[in-house]
Amino acid sequence: MSDGAVRAADVCVVGLGPTGRALAHRAMRAGLRVIAIDPRPQRLWPPTYSCWVDELPEWLPPGAIGSRIEAPTVWTTTEHRIRRPYCVLSKQGLYDALPLDDAQVIAGRATRVDTHEVELTDGTVLRAAAVFDTRGLPALGQRRAASAHGIFVDEATAAPMIGAGEGLLLDWRPENGAGSGEPPSFLYAVPIGDGTVIFEETSLGLRGGMPQHELRKRTLNRLAAHGIRLTGAEPSEAAHYPLDQPPPKRGVARAVPFGSRGGMMHPCTGYSVADSLARVDTAVDALRTGRDPVDALWPRRARLVYWMRMRGLWGLGRLTTEQSIAMFDAFFTESERGQRALLSAHDDYAALGAVLFNTVAHTWPFRWRYDLVGWTNRNRWVGYEFTRPREPMTTEIE
């Protein structure tokens, strides 16, 4: 393509992560002319993506699921079994389910993304009736964050903690070696579907996040507590991203941010892919009927739900480990509808308000409720400095 060349389409999607690829795929299937741009459009996505099975859109084939857990476990002061199927997505299966045969796919990097134009580094200008920016999240800085360090362990080695068909969504058992005066974190552990299990220590809500060396140390401590020995050759993955990306404002003339960049990152859980997949057809239908995609994606109820979840995020970021356990213990005794309202539902504001109130009301001791709502210790952990290891950390557990 020569410098300054111009090409036009109905839809231009900038960024081909799962969200962008799904949007481009469904727009193409709807008969729209699609241009899709990404520096490496053929690359499989590095992160591991998971969700509740019932969050996935009906049009997604079963092959997009890598592993399925019928009743995942949460550990607080006791064991909670969540009777709601959960899954880990197959990266290859999801990629294959979103072909872009009839779209114009361009390997390039955007330097300018506007309402109807995208300019690439080589000077090419691409025009479209609608431009969607799905490039993911901006830099973290000191924003409230999700941080995780995961180690992939073969299923046989992982068996003392995770058996076949099992999964830990949140494990708050005191096995990560963190003291009561340190910011809290929990373990997430699920089978991937390729013969391995990911053990991932996770922190939610801290400003600036928790450093990888601290999370890795805590993961290794948990594995050691269960007698799991590693070889040191196990692959790992890191996650570190903001949780407070807001929805786009109405009536602002610019490219439409979509996916995690467009407010679809769940402030309290760090999940975004399933919600984004479920809402691509809403955006495509808005385009086909001449409506504003932002209005279609973000009605008043959805914005209210986002605002309420942000209050939950602020609460998460100032709790101690003991307070976090008490809060989650209260939450996971709430009704199924209440749990779904916080974890998944896009616009069930009534149930969300009720479950947030009840979770605070049932957290004990009573004085901890003041921290949850921000009347006390609002800035706990702000500026906390994690001690860096003096020597390179070994990955072998004796």
Side-chain angles (χ1 to χ4, degrees):
M1 189 180 297
S2 60
D3 290 353
V6 177
R7 298 192 184 182
D10 297 314
V11 183
C12 182
V13 178
V14 184
L16 286 177
T19 295
R21 191 171 182 89
L23 181 60
H25 168 76
R26 294 299 288 176
M28 179 194 72
R29 286 285 186 260
L32 300 176
R33 294 174 299 157
V34 177
I35 294 176
I37 305 164
D38 191 272
R40 289 181 286 176
Q42 307 303 324
R43 182 184 67 158
L44 274 184
W45 313 294
T48 300
Y49 302 111
S50 307
C51 63
W52 301 102
V53 173
D54 56 36
E55 293 178 309
L56 295 172
E58 293 182 357
W59 52 261
L60 199 65
I65 294 177
S67 70
R68 180 177 171 122
I69 304 158
E70 294 302 323
T73 299
V74 171
W75 271 101
T76 53
T77 56
T78 187
E79 182 183 26
H80 302 266
R81 298 284 283 188
I82 313 303
R83 303 296 174 181
R84 183 183 179 192
Y86 184 85
C87 69
V88 178
L89 297 176
S90 163
K91 297 178 193 179
Q92 188 65 59
L94 181 59
Y95 184 95
D96 292 344
L98 305 172
L100 299 179
D101 322 50
D102 298 326
Q104 180 185 355
V105 180
I106 297 175
R109 191 177 298 277
T111 58
R112 178 173 60 87
V113 181
D114 291 333
T115 311
H116 300 294
E117 285 189 352
V118 176
E119 185 173 355
L120 306 183
T121 52
D122 66 357
T124 299
V125 176
L126 305 165
R127 292 177 181 164
V131 174
F132 286 83
D133 191 348
T134 65
R135 290 177 294 176
L137 292 159
L140 173 59
Q142 289 301 305
R143 299 169 66 179
R144 298 183 186 277
S147 303
H149 183 88
I151 302 174
F152 295 91
V153 179
D154 69 80
E155 290 178 345
T157 304
M161 285 188 74
I162 302 294
E166 296 179 347
L168 285 169
L169 293 189
L170 299 98
D171 187 348
W172 284 100
R173 287 176 291 185
E175 298 171 342
N176 64 6
S180 59
E182 300 178 66
S185 63
F186 60 88
L187 179 70
Y188 169 84
V190 291
I192 301 300
D194 61 355
T196 65
V197 173
I198 185 171
F199 290 93
E200 192 166 60
E201 192 75 9
T202 305
S203 163
L204 294 174
L206 288 185
R207 287 193 178 276
M210 187 175 288
Q212 289 295 309
H213 66 81
E214 177 67 21
L215 291 164
R216 183 173 181 84
K217 178 181 71 175
R218 295 185 184 194
T219 307
L220 293 172
N221 286 340
R222 288 192 186 272
L223 294 173
H226 290 264
I228 295 178
R229 180 184 178 88
L230 304 185
T231 67
E234 292 81 5
S236 64
E237 74 173 24
H240 202 54
Y241 51 85
L243 291 168
D244 56 0
Q245 185 72 11
K249 295 181 179 179
R250 286 190 173 99
V252 177
R254 61 177 180 183
V256 178
F258 189 82
S260 59
R261 195 179 190 94
M264 295 177 192
M265 175 68 69
H266 194 304
C268 300
T269 67
Y271 288 64
S272 68
V273 170
D275 189 42
S276 301
L277 291 173
R279 294 162 72 186
V280 292
D281 281 357
T282 301
V284 172
D285 288 344
L287 293 178
R288 295 179 63 194
T289 56
R291 294 177 293 136
D292 183 350
V294 172
D295 286 342
L297 292 164
W298 289 102
R300 291 183 183 275
R301 288 186 176 186
R303 291 181 182 273
L304 178 58
V305 164
Y306 180 86
W307 180 86
M308 296 167 76
R309 286 174 174 165
M310 281 298 299
R311 271 63 198 164
L313 169 62
W314 295 343
L316 276 174
R318 53 179 167 252
L319 300 182
T320 65
T321 296
E322 293 80 7
Q323 290 173 336
S324 298
I325 292 171
M327 186 269 292
F328 279 109
D329 209 16
F331 173 74
F332 282 106
T333 58
E334 291 294 324
S335 68
E336 180 179 319
R337 180 184 173 187
Q339 291 182 31
R340 286 173 183 256
L342 177 67
L343 298 174
S344 301
H346 189 55
D347 58 2
D348 193 355
Y349 66 91
L352 177 56
V355 78
L356 289 174
F357 178 86
N358 289 335
T359 297
V360 174
H362 295 150
T363 297
W364 192 261
F366 185 91
R367 67 182 184 278
W368 285 355
R369 303 173 193 179
Y370 296 126
D371 286 7
L372 269 170
V373 299
W375 290 354
T376 54
N377 294 305
R378 179 172 293 186
N379 294 316
R380 179 187 273 135
W381 310 129
V382 173
Y384 184 91
E385 293 187 10
F386 292 90
T387 303
R388 296 195 63 84
R390 295 182 180 180
E391 300 178 358
M393 190 183 307
T394 179
T395 57
E396 184 172 345
I397 298 178
E398 300 296 341

